[in-house]
Amino acid sequence: MNGLDKDPCLTITSHSTQHTRSLSLGRWEEPGSFVASMTATLRQMDDYHYAHLINTFGKIRSDVVDFLMETFIMFKDLIGKNVYPSDWVIMNMMQNKVFLRAISQYAAVLNKKFLDQTNFELQLWNNYFHLAVAFLTQESLQLENFSSDKRAKIFHKYQDMRRQIGFEIRDMWYNLGPHKIKFIPEMVGPILEMTLVPEIELRKATIAIFFDMMQCEFHFTCSFQRFENEIITKLDHEVEGGRGDEQYKVLFQKILLEHCRKHKYLAKSGENFVTLVVRLLERLLDYRTIMHDENKENRMSCTVNVLNFYKEIDREEMYIRYLYKLCDLHKECDNYTEAAYTLLLHAKLLKWSDEQCAAHLTQRDGYQACTQGQLKDQLYQQIINYFDKGKMWEEAIILGKELAEQYENEMFDFEQLSASLRKQAQFYENIVKVIRPKPDYFAVGYYGIGFPSFLRNKMFIYRGKEYERREDFEARLLTQFPNAEKMKTTTPPSEDTKSSPGQYIQCFTVKPILDLPAKFQNKPVSEQIVSFYTVNEVHKFQYSRPVRKGEKDPDNEFANMWIERTTYATAYKLPGILRWFEVKSVSTVEISPLENAMETMQLTNEKISSMVQRHLSDPNLPINPLSMLLNGIVDPAVMGGFANYEKAFFNDKYMQEHPEDLEKIEKLKDLIAWQIPHLAEGVRIHGEKVTEALRPFHDRLEACFKQLREKVEKQYGVKTLPTADERRGPRPHSMVRSFTMPSSQRPLSVASVTSISSDNSPSRPGSDGFALEPLLPKKLHTKSQDKLDRDEPERERKEKKKEKRNSKHQEIFDKEMKTTEILLQPTEAVILSETISPLRPQRPRSQVLSQIGGDRRLSVSPGPPSSSSNSSSSPGPPPITPRSKLSFSLHAVSSKSSLTLFSLTFKHMPKTNHLELNGMGCSDKGETPPPLPVKGSTG
């Protein structure tokens, strides 16, 4: 080639052109050999040969343009298609070295012939920039991917060609002058891709191009909005694809801020732009870090961070893109409620109109819609389906009503209207009849710099899964962070803990604060309706812990027991698009012992009222939770009652020392007095539903309640609840009204010394039992024996159905009760005509004493007024009359011993065993519960 003349140059040109055309037609005939020949030829050429080659085209400008265009395309194809295997390092490096020199030679031609205003070729320059960026970002030049030895050898022989071509791209950009605006925003993406290459000198040299683009657009339009939109869009794709790092974020911020602050007009707007991009980079880097993490919760958190950012800067297309990523994650975890709330954010962007859908609004192939109204209809149908799966029927009804309005008054689609109304009817029925487990809420703090930035030194409120205990939740957290250490206390961590390199997790149970909708306030509302809002649509949560001030009083620990109550407010209501949200504000107040006593009494009264209303609404509810609740209140040996409050506050010494509390003391006395009518109703219901197996327990319950009632009514007055008819009003009797204080007046929570600490409190959802128990068989107390005999086949059929529905424990209980009922069939009736006890009223004559088998066991059962032989002369008692405790001289020893044994066992047994005592289950599923003690024979 040293004697290269015109003919060889034309031959090279001809061969290059023919090869380019072959590449464009897809004909690769022995490409490796051809490329090797071409590379060898170009390798022999020096500056003179390149100049001579261009001069052979003469003054025909179009021929030069065509040659350069085809050469750029050919080089780009060869770089992208990797003619040689990746492990042919020497061959690839030799090809790149030759191509780099050729590109530099042709760049000089661009500057010389196609830069002035009259001869500027936009497409030719555009092809050059794309070729140069493709060359710089090709895989074979990314030295950081090689081993250290190979990287050192390549750098020693070939240097870092990325730096050389990058500097050339920078110079070519600045040479464009007034033509720069023609490349904005199209060249933002390629330049961004180049600056993301992890070579620090290259980054320092090329990041400044962004400021030049901002300045150029601002010069022509007085803003750089197009540049800003393009870099945000491209940055999202590039970082998600694996490019960018923390170093890039720091350099980007430093270099651009330096340039912006020196500019007269871009100082403020430019600084805002840099801050915006840095915030986006932080979120995108976090998202990329955990994108393939097995922990889907972290992926959800980062996705929400990104989509909230796009919502903030009004980038609707990117916002919707991440909404669907979040929705897919929720569906993978069966979080249908959260998936529904996520899709609802997309639906809210749409209108009920015939306006055409923009392309970014229909990002899923599953939605076939031309207008926004059609797309919104389809989204609503999907959201309602998700809410139904998540048992959030209240939310589904709201959307169903909106759909029905469109079907009826806008679309006139009565078929769809009919289907929508039927769905709503089913949802209303589900609200009243279907039991929904109440999830627990947990406060979780992540402390230490060992956590990712989106968790580090922050606190969140988590919504637990159904039936998830705190212990299970903590185990799940520690599985996600195996190196984390669980903190033993609930006090806020120190600054040393927050700045330590480790990971520390703090977790405890918090109580949601009811935020009842305005339409329900100060109105009698069914318990089933209100219970939904106790754990849903909440954003404030409380945690209380006891704080003792002064010396401990061994006789009364309530006297100086204060409560430190902390309220946490989250950024959004739960549930929402996540099962957890960050705590945005924290406030702490102290509750005095007297105020704590008032809240405790108020909450206890509401709990009794709620339980009574549940039993009035559903007679099939199990009696066991009611038994435990009543026994814990009326029997001082179990809970201590309110005698501790009387000792602590109802004395002259306390009133003299705290005259400001006199009004509160009167309120507490009033609450104590109001507890009696609630308890009376509960004892009455208990007496109606109690089984013969639990009759001694109920008798004990009545005796304790009578003593309590006499004492309270004597000291604090008599209170009377509205009658049943007054409470029900015009509503059907199946509806239960909740007569509680308005939410604005009712204390928000209660903290007692036995349940105030999250470490000591039961963390199992529904641990008080009444929401989750299987149904007990309903006792028929008012039917005559003849009626029972006639209904025997029908009753057996119903009991078989019930046994299939109940749990294993319930089946054992049903069988035992069935056997007991068979044994209790009377053989003869004896009318009682003597006074049972001088302290109790005489038993009505309509009640009969039944003799049982050879044991001569006695049982009392009331007969209906019209079914017994003596009903005409003595009417039967009303069904609400409570049963009195019986004490016969006939069985004095046996009945007393069995009653004493029963009550003592119940009082001293842990609460977790009460269900077994009440017949709900036994320790071994295969065992039958032991029978009652055998009664003694008659005297």
Side-chain angles (χ1 to χ4, degrees), residues 554-579:
D555 297 330
N556 194 339
E557 58 184 8
F558 290 93
N560 56 3
M561 181 64 72
W562 288 67
I563 302 301
E564 182 184 87
R565 177 165 299 158
T566 305
T567 302
Y568 303 94
T570 54
Y572 307 96
K573 288 186 175 182
L574 283 164
I577 62 173
L578 288 175
R579 294 189 69 90

Short mmCIF file of all heavy atoms in Angstrom, two decimals, residues 554-579:
data_model
loop_
_atom_site.label_atom_id
_atom_site.label_comp_id
_atom_site.label_asym_id
_atom_site.label_seq_id
_atom_site.Cartn_x
_atom_site.Cartn_y
_atom_site.Cartn_z
N PRO A 554 -47.92 -1.59 97.32
CA PRO A 554 -48.17 -3.04 97.21
C PRO A 554 -49.66 -3.38 97.27
O PRO A 554 -50.10 -4.39 96.74
CB PRO A 554 -47.41 -3.63 98.40
CG PRO A 554 -47.26 -2.50 99.36
CD PRO A 554 -47.18 -1.25 98.55
N ASP A 555 -50.46 -2.52 97.94
CA ASP A 555 -51.89 -2.80 98.06
C ASP A 555 -52.67 -2.38 96.82
O ASP A 555 -53.73 -2.95 96.54
CB ASP A 555 -52.47 -2.09 99.29
CG ASP A 555 -51.84 -2.61 100.57
OD1 ASP A 555 -51.45 -3.80 100.59
OD2 ASP A 555 -51.71 -1.83 101.53
N ASN A 556 -52.17 -1.38 96.09
CA ASN A 556 -52.91 -0.89 94.92
C ASN A 556 -51.92 -0.31 93.92
O ASN A 556 -51.40 0.78 94.09
CB ASN A 556 -53.92 0.18 95.34
CG ASN A 556 -54.92 0.47 94.25
OD1 ASN A 556 -54.67 0.22 93.08
ND2 ASN A 556 -56.06 1.02 94.64
N GLU A 557 -51.69 -1.06 92.85
CA GLU A 557 -50.72 -0.64 91.85
C GLU A 557 -51.29 0.38 90.87
O GLU A 557 -50.57 0.96 90.07
CB GLU A 557 -50.22 -1.85 91.05
CG GLU A 557 -51.33 -2.61 90.36
CD GLU A 557 -50.82 -3.86 89.66
OE1 GLU A 557 -49.64 -4.19 89.84
OE2 GLU A 557 -51.59 -4.47 88.94
N PHE A 558 -52.59 0.64 90.94
CA PHE A 558 -53.19 1.60 90.02
C PHE A 558 -52.96 3.05 90.45
O PHE A 558 -53.10 3.97 89.65
CB PHE A 558 -54.71 1.36 89.91
CG PHE A 558 -55.06 0.11 89.19
CD1 PHE A 558 -55.28 -1.07 89.88
CD2 PHE A 558 -55.16 0.07 87.81
CE1 PHE A 558 -55.61 -2.24 89.23
CE2 PHE A 558 -55.48 -1.08 87.15
CZ PHE A 558 -55.71 -2.25 87.85
N ALA A 559 -52.66 3.26 91.72
CA ALA A 559 -52.63 4.61 92.25
C ALA A 559 -51.59 5.50 91.58
O ALA A 559 -51.83 6.69 91.35
CB ALA A 559 -52.38 4.56 93.76
N ASN A 560 -50.41 4.95 91.26
CA ASN A 560 -49.36 5.77 90.64
C ASN A 560 -48.90 5.21 89.30
O ASN A 560 -47.77 5.40 88.89
CB ASN A 560 -48.16 5.89 91.60
CG ASN A 560 -47.62 4.53 92.00
OD1 ASN A 560 -48.10 3.50 91.53
ND2 ASN A 560 -46.62 4.53 92.88
N MET A 561 -49.80 4.50 88.63
CA MET A 561 -49.46 3.93 87.33
C MET A 561 -49.95 4.86 86.21
O MET A 561 -51.13 4.94 85.91
CB MET A 561 -50.11 2.54 87.17
CG MET A 561 -49.79 1.87 85.84
SD MET A 561 -48.03 1.50 85.69
CE MET A 561 -47.90 0.16 86.86
N TRP A 562 -49.02 5.61 85.64
CA TRP A 562 -49.33 6.50 84.51
C TRP A 562 -49.14 5.75 83.20
O TRP A 562 -48.47 4.72 83.15
CB TRP A 562 -48.43 7.73 84.56
CG TRP A 562 -48.77 8.68 85.65
CD1 TRP A 562 -48.66 8.47 86.99
CD2 TRP A 562 -49.30 9.99 85.50
NE1 TRP A 562 -49.08 9.56 87.70
CE2 TRP A 562 -49.48 10.52 86.81
CE3 TRP A 562 -49.63 10.78 84.41
CZ2 TRP A 562 -49.98 11.80 87.03
CZ3 TRP A 562 -50.13 12.06 84.62
CH2 TRP A 562 -50.31 12.55 85.91
N ILE A 563 -49.68 6.29 82.16
CA ILE A 563 -49.58 5.69 80.83
C ILE A 563 -48.91 6.66 79.88
O ILE A 563 -49.35 7.82 79.75
CB ILE A 563 -50.97 5.29 80.28
CG1 ILE A 563 -51.66 4.33 81.24
CG2 ILE A 563 -50.84 4.67 78.89
CD1 ILE A 563 -50.91 3.05 81.50
N GLU A 564 -47.84 6.23 79.24
CA GLU A 564 -47.20 7.02 78.19
C GLU A 564 -47.75 6.55 76.84
O GLU A 564 -47.49 5.43 76.41
CB GLU A 564 -45.69 6.84 78.23
CG GLU A 564 -44.95 7.68 77.20
CD GLU A 564 -43.46 7.40 77.20
OE1 GLU A 564 -43.05 6.47 76.48
OE2 GLU A 564 -42.73 8.09 77.92
N ARG A 565 -48.53 7.39 76.20
CA ARG A 565 -49.22 7.00 74.97
C ARG A 565 -48.61 7.72 73.78
O ARG A 565 -48.55 8.95 73.75
CB ARG A 565 -50.71 7.32 75.07
CG ARG A 565 -51.50 7.01 73.82
CD ARG A 565 -52.98 7.02 74.11
NE ARG A 565 -53.29 5.99 75.08
CZ ARG A 565 -54.38 6.01 75.85
NH1 ARG A 565 -55.22 7.01 75.77
NH2 ARG A 565 -54.60 5.03 76.70
N THR A 566 -48.14 6.94 72.83
CA THR A 566 -47.52 7.48 71.61
C THR A 566 -48.45 7.25 70.43
O THR A 566 -48.95 6.14 70.24
CB THR A 566 -46.17 6.81 71.35
OG1 THR A 566 -45.34 6.95 72.51
CG2 THR A 566 -45.46 7.45 70.17
N THR A 567 -48.67 8.30 69.66
CA THR A 567 -49.53 8.23 68.47
C THR A 567 -48.67 8.37 67.23
O THR A 567 -47.88 9.32 67.11
CB THR A 567 -50.60 9.33 68.50
OG1 THR A 567 -51.39 9.20 69.69
CG2 THR A 567 -51.51 9.22 67.28
N TYR A 568 -48.82 7.41 66.32
CA TYR A 568 -48.07 7.42 65.05
C TYR A 568 -49.05 7.71 63.92
O TYR A 568 -50.10 7.06 63.80
CB TYR A 568 -47.39 6.07 64.82
CG TYR A 568 -46.46 5.64 65.93
CD1 TYR A 568 -46.92 4.82 66.96
CD2 TYR A 568 -45.14 6.06 65.97
CE1 TYR A 568 -46.09 4.42 67.99
CE2 TYR A 568 -44.30 5.67 66.99
CZ TYR A 568 -44.78 4.85 68.00
OH TYR A 568 -43.95 4.46 69.02
N ALA A 569 -48.70 8.65 63.07
CA ALA A 569 -49.53 8.99 61.91
C ALA A 569 -48.77 8.63 60.64
O ALA A 569 -47.60 9.02 60.47
CB ALA A 569 -49.89 10.47 61.90
N THR A 570 -49.40 7.86 59.76
CA THR A 570 -48.76 7.44 58.52
C THR A 570 -49.06 8.42 57.39
O THR A 570 -49.99 9.24 57.48
CB THR A 570 -49.24 6.04 58.12
OG1 THR A 570 -50.68 6.03 58.05
CG2 THR A 570 -48.80 5.01 59.13
N ALA A 571 -48.29 8.30 56.33
CA ALA A 571 -48.45 9.21 55.19
C ALA A 571 -49.78 8.98 54.49
O ALA A 571 -50.39 9.93 53.97
CB ALA A 571 -47.28 9.03 54.22
N TYR A 572 -50.24 7.72 54.45
CA TYR A 572 -51.49 7.39 53.76
C TYR A 572 -52.29 6.43 54.63
O TYR A 572 -51.76 5.81 55.55
CB TYR A 572 -51.21 6.73 52.40
CG TYR A 572 -50.28 7.52 51.51
CD1 TYR A 572 -48.92 7.23 51.47
CD2 TYR A 572 -50.75 8.56 50.73
CE1 TYR A 572 -48.05 7.95 50.67
CE2 TYR A 572 -49.89 9.29 49.92
CZ TYR A 572 -48.55 8.98 49.89
OH TYR A 572 -47.70 9.70 49.10
N LYS A 573 -53.56 6.29 54.31
CA LYS A 573 -54.42 5.38 55.05
C LYS A 573 -54.11 3.94 54.68
O LYS A 573 -53.72 3.63 53.56
CB LYS A 573 -55.90 5.68 54.77
CG LYS A 573 -56.39 6.97 55.41
CD LYS A 573 -57.89 7.13 55.22
CE LYS A 573 -58.39 8.37 55.96
NZ LYS A 573 -59.87 8.53 55.83
N LEU A 574 -54.33 3.07 55.66
CA LEU A 574 -54.18 1.63 55.45
C LEU A 574 -55.55 0.97 55.51
O LEU A 574 -56.38 1.34 56.34
CB LEU A 574 -53.27 1.03 56.51
CG LEU A 574 -51.77 1.27 56.31
CD1 LEU A 574 -50.99 0.98 57.59
CD2 LEU A 574 -51.24 0.41 55.18
N PRO A 575 -55.78 -0.01 54.63
CA PRO A 575 -54.90 -0.49 53.57
C PRO A 575 -54.84 0.50 52.39
O PRO A 575 -55.71 1.35 52.24
CB PRO A 575 -55.54 -1.81 53.15
CG PRO A 575 -56.99 -1.62 53.43
CD PRO A 575 -57.06 -0.77 54.67
N GLY A 576 -53.80 0.33 51.57
CA GLY A 576 -53.61 1.20 50.42
C GLY A 576 -52.86 0.47 49.34
O GLY A 576 -53.01 -0.74 49.18
N ILE A 577 -52.03 1.18 48.60
CA ILE A 577 -51.27 0.54 47.53
C ILE A 577 -50.13 -0.31 48.08
O ILE A 577 -49.47 -1.02 47.33
CB ILE A 577 -50.74 1.57 46.51
CG1 ILE A 577 -49.79 2.55 47.20
CG2 ILE A 577 -51.88 2.32 45.86
CD1 ILE A 577 -49.10 3.51 46.24
N LEU A 578 -49.88 -0.21 49.40
CA LEU A 578 -48.92 -1.07 50.09
C LEU A 578 -49.57 -1.59 51.37
O LEU A 578 -50.57 -1.03 51.84
CB LEU A 578 -47.64 -0.31 50.44
CG LEU A 578 -46.69 0.05 49.29
CD1 LEU A 578 -45.55 0.90 49.82
CD2 LEU A 578 -46.15 -1.19 48.61
N ARG A 579 -48.98 -2.63 51.93
CA ARG A 579 -49.43 -3.14 53.23
C ARG A 579 -48.73 -2.41 54.37
O ARG A 579 -48.89 -2.79 55.54
CB ARG A 579 -49.18 -4.64 53.34
CG ARG A 579 -49.98 -5.48 52.37
CD ARG A 579 -49.85 -6.95 52.68
NE ARG A 579 -50.50 -7.31 53.92
CZ ARG A 579 -51.77 -7.69 54.01
NH1 ARG A 579 -52.51 -7.78 52.92
NH2 ARG A 579 -52.29 -8.01 55.17
#
